[in-house]
Amino acid sequence: MQTVHRSLETISSMFSVFEKDQVLTHDQLNSVSDYLEDQDRLNRLYLTGVGVVAGLRPSLSGQQVQISKGLALTTDGDLLVLSKNAVFDRFRLYGVNAPEYAPFHPGGNALTLYELVAVGESVVDALPLSQFASTAGDPLSSFVVLFYMESYLKDDDICSGTDCDNLGKEAMHTPRILLVANSEAAGLLPDVATADKLADTLLPIAIPRVKLGTSINTTAQFATPYRNACNTLHNSIVQTLDLALQHGGPLFAEVISAASVNSAKSNLNALKQAFSTRHIGIQYYYSALTDIAAAWNEFQRTLIGHRQWLCPDSMTFAKHVLLGELVSNDEPVLRTPYYPSPAQDHDGQRQHLSFMLKRTLLLAQHADVPNTLSNIACTPECHQQSAVGERAVPHYFRAAAQPEIFRHWNYALFQKDRGLENYGYSAASLGASGPSANPLNFFIDQFGHFRIEGHIGKSAATTYASLKQLFANENLPVALQAVMLTVDHKNLFIKPKWQFSDLHRFHQVLRQDLVFQMDDVQKFSKTFKANVVDSVDRSLIVDSPNSSEAVRLKDTANTMDNQLVENTAVLKESLSKKYVDFREQQSWRSDLNKTMSVAGDYKFQLSNVVKTEFVTPFDSLISSPHIQWLDWVDLLIKDKDEKREKKATFPGFVKRNPGLSHTGGGPRGGTFVVVYDTSGVIVGDLSLPYWLEEDEDDAMDEPTLPRPNIKPGLVIDKGISLLPPRTKVVKDWFKVDIEPDWTTKLNQHVGYFDVFKNSITTMGEVFTNLEKRTIDIKNVKPSVSNQALDLLLKEQQVKAEKIELMRNQMLDVDMPDDKRTNLKEDIKKAEAELAKSLEETTRFVAANNLDLTAGGDGQKAMTMVKTQSSILVDSTAIKNFNSGVDKLGREFSGNASFGKVFGVLKI
């Protein structure tokens, strides 16, 4: 059997150069064509690429196979082309007399192939595709389309008895569309070691997330979740490096080697050992590992789709390409990919891959976390979700390797050998200039994150102040917070910011009110003392200004006034302080207690000669509730401050902000959180994606509160009248009014007795009408769950209280007769309304069949109806109520439990 001719099986390396009048042989002529053809095919193979370039998509439509126009290249340099969409409606068995093509005879067994025949093409033995399933034994949907270049040398024997002109052969190249079963097509796919295929073996590194709980309150507890994550990540990176050496070595031999991988693993193992017991800085060990993993993942993702094939083997798929399954919902699996030549890598993708692998190895070889850094620095960079090369170069890579790290950090800058234009902690020390040396002096709006370094292991208080000053001086769009790893908020090194809240303002109002009260007490005391002295001197309240009582009164007034002036002055000084100073001293309570005692004793000592006309400043001070309010508000402020301080402990802060994470800085518009331990040393940092800086108010900004000009002077100066003692009044009255005209006064008293008698008669009538009232109706209404019933009971209660109020008015003995008559009529009307309301409540309970057992809404309502019906005294109201109860009894006669209630309700 004839075999397929592979043009590149033997590559021509020479051709003949002809001379004038030279007689040419067939070898000389063929050498020229062979050389040119081989060079043309090699050009496609090595400089263009191989595989299906574009188009050539097969599909099944009814009983026809359609293939879109397109082109492909075989590894023998054949160009397979369909210049327009092709439709095939027939088929025939292929391979009976076809030249032998090795891939079609795996293991010496020939594949069963079918050739598709295009619409309109004349082929005698072709069958319609409707008969394909019955012929092949499987439906079309289980076959793959194959584009095949059938190449062979044809040697026709055209000799006759008298002539034999058959010198020379014809090179035949016939493109054919074949069908091969899905199960056999996989063997016709090439197995090429490309970067894309490597991506199936070298997988991304999963970076474990650190979750911080509210139970963390020590440095060791804080480090534990990071250590666990680092151990997991360390193992993944080491395993990945081993796989990269094993499978990626052939493709990236210029970058990766056993020595480079072993160097990286050795460094990573040393770091793991160091941080098995080291707590401070472990976050940056975690950051270093995540950067290594992120750099690897960028490399791994870039591998995908990168199918460049350097110097393909011409025997791989010399004469065929697979176009894919006839029925496929997604991208066909059994389709020969296109493998472009490295010469087509115009964007340097291959170089980019080598760069990223080199960067990953460098980071792993030189990761190093120093205990402290000399300077605190803030470097703007792109968001953490950005590519590694778009961020700033961090400090946690060995100082000696920093120049190489900067050079291999960003690919675009690497191509131009401008690595020092990368931003980073060490940029200035490496000799960088311009923005990379002093980035905060230049435009930073394009950056979404600010890397903050140099604070770990330093004093929390001083470093926090330095960071705060840095943020303010550089106008950084990041808030700053500090939290302590503790559960005891009382020992915070960095207290929450002062906040002058509404509670503080109210506290100031109360203090200022007491200050004004002290002014009033002082002024009133002076006036009171002067009045006492004047009244004594004029014998208005004593028999003689020289009597012992007169001396006592004057001494008391002077002593008490002096004490009040002294005490109120001390109190005013304390109360006038700003809150931050006021809360530090506690003597004001005892001073206020003394002042109130003196004011009360002042009035008590002179109570025999004093009449209070209205509330005086003494009375206001003694009875003022503001004194209690001051303590209560102070307690509320302290409680609020304690809660704010608890929020500055790590457990309290995490509870309020569960989204904390370590990013090595703070995002634009977010919050950078410094974490320190009980010794006051910074052990870590976190960030939040939102602004969390509390407003700070200056404690010295308490506004001055002027005294309201509302109270008239007499309210402060007056309020107490000085009167003679009762004994003096009675004695003077008896001498002046009784003794001179005893008989006249007795007659007058007889008249007074008659008036009193008439008054008693009137009162009798009132009390007779109130005879039945033996309860306090104000406390009758019970609590019920039915809202409609509750409204009825409230209305009933209001009407009962209205009757109570009017009956109390009837007790006024001085009420005119006409008014008393009108009031009696109003009471009758009110009783009629109450009787009607009692009937409505009873109807509601019965109609809704409310619970009459003890504690039920129905029982409570009926008890109230019975209680309030007892205050009815008007006969008409009582008659109407009883009539209504009888009517309800007939209406709800079918309800036995309510029948008993109706019998009890009647008056």
Side-chain angles (χ1 to χ4, degrees):
M1 180 183 288
Q2 192 175 18
T3 60
V4 165
H5 174 66
R6 289 193 292 270
S7 299
L8 295 180
E9 186 173 10
T10 302
I11 299 175
S12 175
S13 60
M14 57 79 67
F15 62 89
S16 297
V17 178
F18 308 142
E19 294 182 1
K20 185 177 179 181
D21 299 327
Q22 178 181 349
V23 177
L24 301 179
T25 67
H26 70 283
D27 288 334
Q28 291 173 321
L29 288 173
N30 286 338
S31 70
V32 174
S33 63
D34 289 346
Y35 183 83
L36 292 177
E37 182 182 7
D38 287 352
Q39 291 300 311
D40 186 37
R41 289 177 177 270
L42 288 173
N43 184 292
R44 296 173 190 164
L45 179 65
Y46 294 145
L47 299 181
T48 301
V50 293
V52 179
V53 180
L56 300 179
R57 298 282 180 176
S59 61
L60 185 60
S61 177
Q63 298 300 321
Q64 291 182 333
V65 172
Q66 298 179 352
I67 301 177
S68 64
K69 65 180 180 179
L71 59 94
L73 292 165
T74 70
T75 56
D76 197 40
D78 294 307
L79 184 62
L80 303 176
V81 179
L82 284 181
S83 59
K84 61 182 180 179
N85 296 340
V87 180
F88 304 86
D89 61 352
R90 286 162 295 153
F91 75 99
R92 66 176 177 175
L93 185 66
Y94 176 79
V96 178
N97 298 312
E100 183 177 340
Y101 176 49
F104 291 170
H105 295 77
N109 299 316
L111 300 177
T112 301
L113 302 172
Y114 298 92
E115 182 181 3
L116 291 176
V117 179
V119 172
E121 185 179 353
S122 178
V123 177
V124 177
D125 57 347
L127 299 174
L129 283 175
S130 59
Q131 299 178 21
F132 183 85
S134 59
T135 303
D138 290 300
L140 279 169
S141 58
S142 63
F143 280 76
V144 176
V145 179
L146 184 148
F147 204 162
Y148 172 56
M149 178 63 76
E150 185 184 74
S151 300
Y152 63 94
L153 297 179
K154 182 180 179 182
D155 187 6
D156 290 332
D157 185 3
I158 55 174
C159 291
S160 64
T162 59
D163 187 19
C164 190
D165 188 15
N166 64 341
L167 295 179
K169 300 178 182 179
E170 294 180 346
M172 306 299 294
H173 298 283
T174 307
R176 298 188 184 277
I177 304 296
L178 306 179
L179 295 178
V180 60
N182 286 1
S183 58
E184 297 177 332
L188 297 174
L189 275 177
D191 184 14
V192 181
T194 64
D196 180 73
K197 187 175 182 62
L198 189 62
D200 296 333
T201 304
L202 304 180
L203 302 178
I205 297 175
I207 301 175
R209 179 186 172 209
V210 175
K211 298 180 182 179
L212 302 173
T214 56
S215 61
I216 295 175
N217 56 68
T218 67
T219 304
Q221 292 174 347
F222 180 69
T224 297
Y226 285 99
R227 183 172 292 110
N228 294 337
C230 287
N231 289 340
T232 301
L233 193 50
H234 167 89
N235 294 336
S236 297
I237 293 173
V238 169
Q239 292 172 6
T240 299
L241 290 176
D242 286 336
L243 288 174
L245 177 62
Q246 177 184 351
H247 299 284
L251 280 177
F252 299 99
E254 76 279 9
V255 176
I256 191 169
S257 64
S260 62
V261 169
N262 289 335
S263 172
K265 289 166 60 178
S266 176
N267 184 60
L268 293 176
N269 289 333
L271 270 178
K272 181 181 180 182
Q273 179 63 32
F275 279 99
S276 63
T277 55
R278 178 179 163 188
H279 301 325
I280 298 178
I282 195 169
Q283 286 181 306
Y284 286 93
Y285 171 42
Y286 172 74
S287 293
L289 293 180
T290 57
D291 283 354
I292 294 169
W296 169 265
N297 290 343
E298 288 180 20
F299 165 72
Q300 194 276 339
R301 283 192 295 270
T302 309
L303 289 173
I304 299 173
H306 185 82
R307 297 190 180 91
Q308 289 181 10
W309 188 3
L310 178 63
C311 298
D313 183 352
S314 64
M315 302 295 288
T316 309
F317 48 95
K319 294 297 178 180
H320 75 277
V321 292
L322 294 178
L323 303 186
E325 301 91 327
L326 272 173
V327 177
S328 176
N329 295 325
D330 301 310
E331 182 68 18
V333 175
L334 299 172
R335 179 178 172 90
T336 305
Y338 177 61
Y339 300 100
S341 165
Q344 305 301 316
D345 186 16
H346 304 299
D347 56 358
Q349 194 176 29
R350 180 65 174 76
Q351 185 186 26
H352 192 193
L353 282 170
S354 297
F355 167 86
M356 287 191 289
L357 182 57
K358 173 73 172 178
R359 179 178 63 182
T360 302
L361 289 169
L362 278 173
L363 299 185
Q365 290 165 350
H366 299 291
D368 182 43
V369 183
N371 291 321
T372 58
L373 296 173
S374 57
N375 299 318
I376 295 175
C378 175
T379 309
E381 62 179 359
C382 292
H383 285 288
Q384 292 296 291
Q385 60 266 35
S386 301
V388 173
E390 298 301 320
R391 307 181 218 159
V393 181
H395 72 277
Y396 42 76
F397 295 105
R398 195 165 286 110
Q402 285 284 334
E404 190 72 3
I405 299 290
F406 268 77
R407 182 169 179 265
H408 285 85
W409 190 254
N410 180 281
Y411 181 61
L413 295 177
F414 168 79
Q415 290 177 298
K416 296 294 184 181
D417 196 21
R418 290 157 54 183
L420 285 182
E421 291 185 16
N422 286 300
Y423 286 11
Y425 182 84
S426 303
S429 64
L430 294 176
S433 60
S436 57
N438 297 288
L440 296 180
N441 291 338
F442 295 86
F443 191 72
I444 61 173
D445 286 4
Q446 72 272 31
F447 299 113
H449 189 265
F450 294 85
R451 180 172 288 278
I452 300 165
E453 299 167 292
H455 54 284
I456 298 296
K458 296 182 179 178
S459 165
T462 56
T463 304
Y464 182 82
S466 299
L467 287 171
K468 189 175 181 181
Q469 190 64 46
L470 173 66
F471 285 22
N473 291 344
E474 300 296 345
N475 297 326
L476 297 183
V478 181
L480 181 63
Q481 287 283 310
V483 296
M484 182 174 174
L485 287 165
T486 182
V487 292
D488 186 5
H489 67 279
K490 298 177 182 178
N491 298 318
L492 294 176
F493 286 85
I494 303 171
K495 298 281 187 180
K497 291 183 177 181
W498 169 264
Q499 282 189 316
F500 191 67
S501 65
D502 288 340
L503 283 175
H504 294 86
R505 295 181 178 91
F506 187 46
H507 196 279
Q508 183 192 1
V509 168
L510 295 177
R511 283 184 280 124
Q512 191 61 52
D513 181 58
L514 282 175
V515 169
F516 291 149
Q517 284 195 51
M518 295 304 107
D519 289 338
D520 294 346
V521 167
Q522 283 184 352
K523 188 174 181 181
F524 178 76
S525 179
K526 292 292 184 186
T527 302
F528 188 25
K529 182 190 77 171
N531 289 341
V532 170
V533 172
D534 180 66
S535 297
V536 169
D537 289 343
R538 292 193 294 150
S539 300
L540 295 177
I541 56 176
V542 292
D543 293 332
S544 168
N546 298 320
S547 64
S548 59
E549 179 65 12
V551 173
R552 186 189 72 81
L553 292 175
K554 293 173 72 173
D555 288 346
T556 298
N558 283 319
T559 301
M560 296 297 180
D561 178 62
N562 290 336
Q563 291 182 13
L564 281 175
V565 170
E566 179 182 350
N567 290 344
T568 53
V570 174
L571 261 175
K572 285 174 62 178
E573 182 181 357
S574 298
L575 294 168
S576 298
K577 292 179 180 179
K578 299 186 183 302
Y579 180 77
V580 288
D581 299 321
F582 173 80
R583 67 179 178 179
E584 298 300 326
Q585 48 91 36
Q586 302 295 325
S587 61
W588 69 272
R589 291 182 177 83
S590 59
D591 294 336
L592 181 57
N593 185 272
K594 291 177 184 178
T595 303
M596 294 170 64
S597 298
V598 172
D601 196 37
Y602 199 166
K603 283 191 67 176
F604 178 76
Q605 294 290 341
L606 301 177
S607 61
N608 199 36
V609 296
V610 168
K611 177 186 178 185
T612 301
E613 302 294 348
F614 48 82
V615 177
T616 69
F618 285 0
D619 303 313
S620 297
L621 177 62
I622 295 171
S623 62
S624 174
H626 296 179
I627 299 169
Q628 294 177 323
W629 293 4
L630 198 62
D631 266 342
W632 290 342
V633 174
D634 200 35
L635 287 174
L636 291 175
I637 291 174
K638 289 180 179 178
D639 179 68
K640 186 175 181 181
D641 288 344
E642 284 187 3
K643 288 178 179 177
R644 290 178 61 242
E645 289 178 357
K646 287 179 181 178
K647 294 174 184 177
T649 65
F650 194 84
F653 196 84
V654 172
K655 183 177 181 180
R656 288 177 58 232
N657 305 282
L660 284 164
S661 64
H662 172 70
T663 62
R668 177 183 291 275
T671 305
F672 179 66
V673 183
V674 172
V675 182
Y676 63 96
D677 62 13
T678 53
S679 65
V681 174
I682 297 177
V683 298
D685 58 71
L686 300 164
S687 67
L688 289 168
Y690 48 84
W691 192 273
L692 195 65
E693 185 172 29
E694 299 178 9
D695 295 332
E696 181 177 8
D697 286 329
D698 190 348
M700 303 303 294
D701 284 346
E702 290 185 3
T704 301
L705 301 178
R707 184 186 184 106
N709 188 19
I710 297 175
K711 288 185 179 180
L714 65 91
V715 174
I716 299 173
D717 297 341
K718 309 299 180 182
I720 289 182
S721 299
L722 293 172
L723 300 175
R726 294 178 182 84
T727 55
K728 185 175 185 303
V729 173
V730 172
K731 183 167 59 176
D732 291 344
W733 170 71
F734 187 80
K735 288 180 178 179
V736 175
D737 296 332
I738 302 301
E739 237 178 356
D741 197 3
W742 181 265
T743 303
T744 305
K745 296 299 181 184
L746 284 175
N747 292 336
Q748 290 176 352
H749 287 178
V750 171
Y752 294 152
F753 177 76
D754 292 338
V755 173
F756 180 71
K757 179 181 179 182
N758 293 335
S759 298
I760 291 299
T761 301
T762 302
M763 290 295 291
E765 294 179 4
V766 174
F767 286 122
T768 299
N769 290 333
L770 298 179
E771 188 174 16
K772 290 189 176 183
R773 296 175 63 248
T774 59
I775 61 170
D776 179 9
I777 65 164
K778 293 183 179 179
N779 297 314
V780 170
K781 182 188 172 302
S783 174
V784 295
S785 59
N786 190 297
Q787 294 183 355
L789 178 61
D790 188 64
L791 291 174
L792 287 173
L793 295 181
K794 285 180 179 178
E795 181 182 357
Q796 182 178 309
Q797 180 76 8
V798 169
K799 291 177 180 179
E801 290 181 2
K802 178 179 178 182
I803 296 172
E804 174 78 5
L805 178 62
M806 290 189 291
R807 285 175 176 170
N808 286 339
Q809 292 175 353
M810 288 287 291
L811 298 177
D812 185 1
V813 296
D814 295 327
M815 182 182 294
D817 292 340
D818 57 341
K819 186 174 181 181
R820 186 179 298 280
T821 300
N822 292 336
L823 188 57
K824 287 181 180 180
E825 291 300 319
D826 290 341
I827 292 174
K828 288 183 179 181
K829 292 179 181 179
E831 287 191 27
E833 292 176 359
L834 176 60
K836 185 65 175 175
S837 180
L838 295 175
E839 181 184 345
E840 290 176 355
T841 299
T842 304
R843 176 182 293 278
F844 181 85
V845 172
N848 291 278
N849 199 25
L850 297 184
D851 185 9
L852 294 175
T853 60
D857 282 359
Q859 183 268 336
K860 293 177 181 179
M862 290 298 94
T863 300
M864 181 174 175
V865 169
K866 179 61 179 174
T867 301
Q868 292 188 332
S869 68
S870 65
I871 69 174
L872 298 175
V873 296
D874 181 65
S875 59
T876 303
I878 292 173
K879 180 180 179 182
N880 290 341
F881 174 72
N882 287 337
S883 176
V885 171
D886 290 337
K887 181 180 178 182
L888 291 174
R890 292 190 297 272
E891 185 176 344
F892 295 99
S893 59
N895 193 322
S897 58
F898 277 96
K900 297 177 182 179
V901 173
F902 297 140
V904 175
L905 286 180
K906 293 180 64 176
I907 303 172

